[in-house]
């Protein structure tokens, strides 16, 4: 039942659309007899179902609604330039088309690279590659020519009856903002045709006349009758000057829904589900437009940089803490020594104080002591001032020395850095040759420093001369190597071009092999389906023949039982019965002739598959004919 509903929904979606314009669709729906049943299905040229509008087959119509139309044909090829009604300049519509194109190419296994940037403004080469891939869904044997693709693509679209114009000039700059929407619209139209072709190829057209289930009938006699009646009514009104056929359309759709048992509630629920899923997809796409992963990555990089800064700051704090601890230990040691010295001074002061209290001085001694005390205080003040001046001078000299030492250390550090780059430090370096090029300014005296500097300068001059000689030798060698390298590059370029050609040939062969394999697999599936259908049909025929044979046997028994009663009937009744039997036999013979014709047609199509079944059916039919002849001879003899 689900399969029947899907077939009915597919049939409803393929109804011809009515266009309220001066033109009419030229699509003609074929009957089931014209559809292929066996063998490889031929791929027709895709027809536009949505936006295609062509001029009428019968030429331009006369103006005026009341004037009847002229039915005289004016010839073929009366096409007009039609304006594209799709909103190709709307950015949201273009983005929706790009998403649909990306989904189609991804689902069908597009071999090239796909990205949002590529589909926003593709190059001509990428557009041609996508066009070739989509067209191969219609014709797997298609090969895009290598030259003049800018002319081939518009010509192919025109041959496919694409209703709009894609100029040759636009193919030279497909990715431009003013040409890409038109090219994208052509690709979407081609994808729609591919999907229509897929839906037609999936229909069960084999043995549709012999199917017992009414849900699997695609276009039977009832549909053809409805469609022909609808066409006759609308065409007669069209010739009388009418442009719209709303009543006929509504009546036709009502009859079709009744014929195919369309469940409108199910369709409404499916549309509601589709709308909900579409809203959910749009919401997810809007959320994905903001690249949260890139934001998190940027935050991670910033946090890692902050972590490195904190680690460096922590290491500097640890070194500063170590320096402070060293200074604190030194100050503690100095404090301990000062405390011990203070204790000794206090002890000495106590002794002197005790001595002072115990001794007796004269006024002259006191005057002398006071005078000496004042002199000593003056001496102490002058000496303390001199000491402060000396300490200030020492501090200034130490600052100057520290600055000079810092500059010297910077120069020495630059020298050591350059020497390490030149591999002169340490003694085991490559260019040191066992000599010590390291400068240690504060380990030796001034004379040894000058001697060390002179020795290093001599070694450096010798090293410079050796390096210049080596540089000249290497320059000559470099020139020869560059010449050989240019020769090798040219050889490599030639080989790479040859390799590219070989890879391109291998790629084409692989693609052709894949296409052939897919075609073989599809043909095998088709033949398997055909074999299964033929087997089912053979069983159905065998069942019908057995049923007919049993019915004939029962009739024979009934005729034998009523044989004595039939002998008592009049000659008029015999003649009437003979005429009825003759008409029945004529009908049976016609039915048998039709059956033989169908069997001959089936025999020509699937001879290798159902030859045995056809022979058995022929034997059964022959036996039935003999039985009929026997019955006829018995009836005549009676």
């Amino acid at each position: 039942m689900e399969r029947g509903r899907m077939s009915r929904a597919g049939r409803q979606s393929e109804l011809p659309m009515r266009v309220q314009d001066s033109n009419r669709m030229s699509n003609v729906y074929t009957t089931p007899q014209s559809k292929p049943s066996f063998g490889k299905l031929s791929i027709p040229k895709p027809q536009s179902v949505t936006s295609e509008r062509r001029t009428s087959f019968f030429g331009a119509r006369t103006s005026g609604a009341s004037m009847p139309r002229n039915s005289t044909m004016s010839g073929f090829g009366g096409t007009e330039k039609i304006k594209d009604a799709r909103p190709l300049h709307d950015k949201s519509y273009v983005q929706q088309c790009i998403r649909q194109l990306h989904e189609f190419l991804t689902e069908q296994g597009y071999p090239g690279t796909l990205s949002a940037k590529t589909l926003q403004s593709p190059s001509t080469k990428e557009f041609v590659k996508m066009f070739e891939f989509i067209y191969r869904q219609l014709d797997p044997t298609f090969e895009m020519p290598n030259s003049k693709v800018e002319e081939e693509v518009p010509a192919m679209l025109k041959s496919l009856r694409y209703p709009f114009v894609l100029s040759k000039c636009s193919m030279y700059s497909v990715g431009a903002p003013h040409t890409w929407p038109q090219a994208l619209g052509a690709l979407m139209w081609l994808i729609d045709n591919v999907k229509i072709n897929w839906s037609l190829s999936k229909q069960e057209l084999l043995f549709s006349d012999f199917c017992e289930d009414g849900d699997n009938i695609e276009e039977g006699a009832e549909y053809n009758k409805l469609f022909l009646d609808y066409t006759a009514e609308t065409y007669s009104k069209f010739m009388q000057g009418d442009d719209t056929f709303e009543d006929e359309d509504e009546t036709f759709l009502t009859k079709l829904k009744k014929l195919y048992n369309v469940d409108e509630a199910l369709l409404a629920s499916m549309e509601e589900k589709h709308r909900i899923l579409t809203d959910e997809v749009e919401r997810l796409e809007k959320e994905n437009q903001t690249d949260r992963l890139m934001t998190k990555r940027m935050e991670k990089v910033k946090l890692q940089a902050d972590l490195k800064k904190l680690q460096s700051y922590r290491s500097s704090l640890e070194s500063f803490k170590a320096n402070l601890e060293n200074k604190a230990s030194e100050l503690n040691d100095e404090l301990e020594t000062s405390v011990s010295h203070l204790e000794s001074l206090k002890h000495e002061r106590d002794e002197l104080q005790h001595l002072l209290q115990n001794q007796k001085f004269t006024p002259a001694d006191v005057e002398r002591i006071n005078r000496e005390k004042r002199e000593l205080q003056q001496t102490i003040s002058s000496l303390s001032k001199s000491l402060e001046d000396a300490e200030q001078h020492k501090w200034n000299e130490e600052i100057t020395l520290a600055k000079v030492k810092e500059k010297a250390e910077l120069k020495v550090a630059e020298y050591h850095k350059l020497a390490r780059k030149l591999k002169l430090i340490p003694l085991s370096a490559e260019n040191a040759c066992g000599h010590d090029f390291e400068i240690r300014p504060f380990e030796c005296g001034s004379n040894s420093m000058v001697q060390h500097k002179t020795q290093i300068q001599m070694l450096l001059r010798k090293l410079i001369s050796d390096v210049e000689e080596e540089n000249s030798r290497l320059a000559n060698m470099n020139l020869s190597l560059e010449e050989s390298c240019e020769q090798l590059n040219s050889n490599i370029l030639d080989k790479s071009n040859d390799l590219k050609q070989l890879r391109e040939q291998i790629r084409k062969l692989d693609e052709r092999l894949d296409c052939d394999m897919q075609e073989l697999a599809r043909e095998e599936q088709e033949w398997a389906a055909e074999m299964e259908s033929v087997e089912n049909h053979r069983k159905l025929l065998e069942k019908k023949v057995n049923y007919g044979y049993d019915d004939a046997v029962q009739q024979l028994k009934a005729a034998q039982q009523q044989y004595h009663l039939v002998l008592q009937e009049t000659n008029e009744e015999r003649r009437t019965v003979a005429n009825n039997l003759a008409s029945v036999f004529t009908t049976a013979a016609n039915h048998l002739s039709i059956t033989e014709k169908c069997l001959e047609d089936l025999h020509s199509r699937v001879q290798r598959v159902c030859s045995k079944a056809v022979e058995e059916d022929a034997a059964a039919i022959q036996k039935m004919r003999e039985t009929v002849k026997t019955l006829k001879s018995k009836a005549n003899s009676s």
Side-chain angles (χ1 to χ4, degrees), residues 566 569 572-582:
V566 173
E569 292 180 354
E572 184 64 22
E573 290 177 350
R574 289 181 182 179
R575 186 176 61 80
T576 304
V577 171
N579 292 332
N580 291 333
L581 289 174

Side-chain angles (χ1 to χ4, degrees), residues 577-596:
V577 171
N579 292 332
N580 291 333
L581 289 174
S583 62
V584 169
F585 293 150
T586 303
T587 304
N590 293 332
H591 177 69
L592 290 174
S593 63
I594 293 172
T595 305
E596 287 176 354

Side-chain angles (χ1 to χ4, degrees), residues 571-629:
N571 294 328
E572 184 64 22
E573 290 177 350
R574 289 181 182 179
R575 186 176 61 80
T576 304
V577 171
N579 292 332
N580 291 333
L581 289 174
S583 62
V584 169
F585 293 150
T586 303
T587 304
N590 293 332
H591 177 69
L592 290 174
S593 63
I594 293 172
T595 305
E596 287 176 354
K597 186 177 180 181
C598 293
L599 290 172
E600 289 174 0
D601 187 29
L602 294 174
H603 181 73
S604 64
R605 294 175 182 271
V606 289
Q607 184 176 3
R608 290 179 297 180
V609 181
C610 62
S611 60
K612 185 177 178 179
V614 172
E615 290 175 0
E616 292 176 358
D617 293 341
I621 292 170
Q622 185 65 29
K623 188 176 180 179
M624 185 177 179
R625 287 179 177 176
E626 291 176 0
T627 304
V628 171
K629 288 180 180 179

Side-chain angles (χ1 to χ4, degrees), residues 293-304:
L293 181 60
M294 184 60 67
T295 306
K296 296 296 181 182
R297 286 177 178 172
M298 294 299 293
E299 292 179 358
K300 181 181 178 182
V301 171
K302 291 180 181 180
L303 291 174
Q304 287 177 352

Side-chain angles (χ1 to χ4, degrees), residues 241-258:
D242 294 341
D243 287 330
T244 59
F245 313 102
E246 296 179 356
D247 297 336
E248 287 77 7
D249 292 343
E250 185 176 357
T251 305
F252 181 64
L253 290 176
T254 304
K255 291 180 179 179
L256 284 179
K257 290 179 181 179
K258 184 177 180 181

Side-chain angles (χ1 to χ4, degrees), residues 355-395:
L355 182 61
L356 179 62
Q357 290 176 358
N358 292 329
Q359 69 179 357
K360 294 180 179 180
F361 296 100
T362 60
D365 293 334
V366 173
E367 183 66 26
R368 181 178 57 82
I369 289 171
N370 291 330
R371 186 175 63 250
E372 289 178 357
K373 181 181 179 181
R374 288 192 296 269
E375 290 176 357
L376 288 173
Q377 286 178 353
Q378 291 178 359
T379 304
I380 289 169
S381 62
S382 61
L383 288 175
S384 61
K385 185 176 181 182
S386 301
L387 180 60
E388 290 178 358
D389 295 337
E391 288 179 352
Q392 184 66 31
H393 181 67
K394 179 184 176 183
W395 178 254

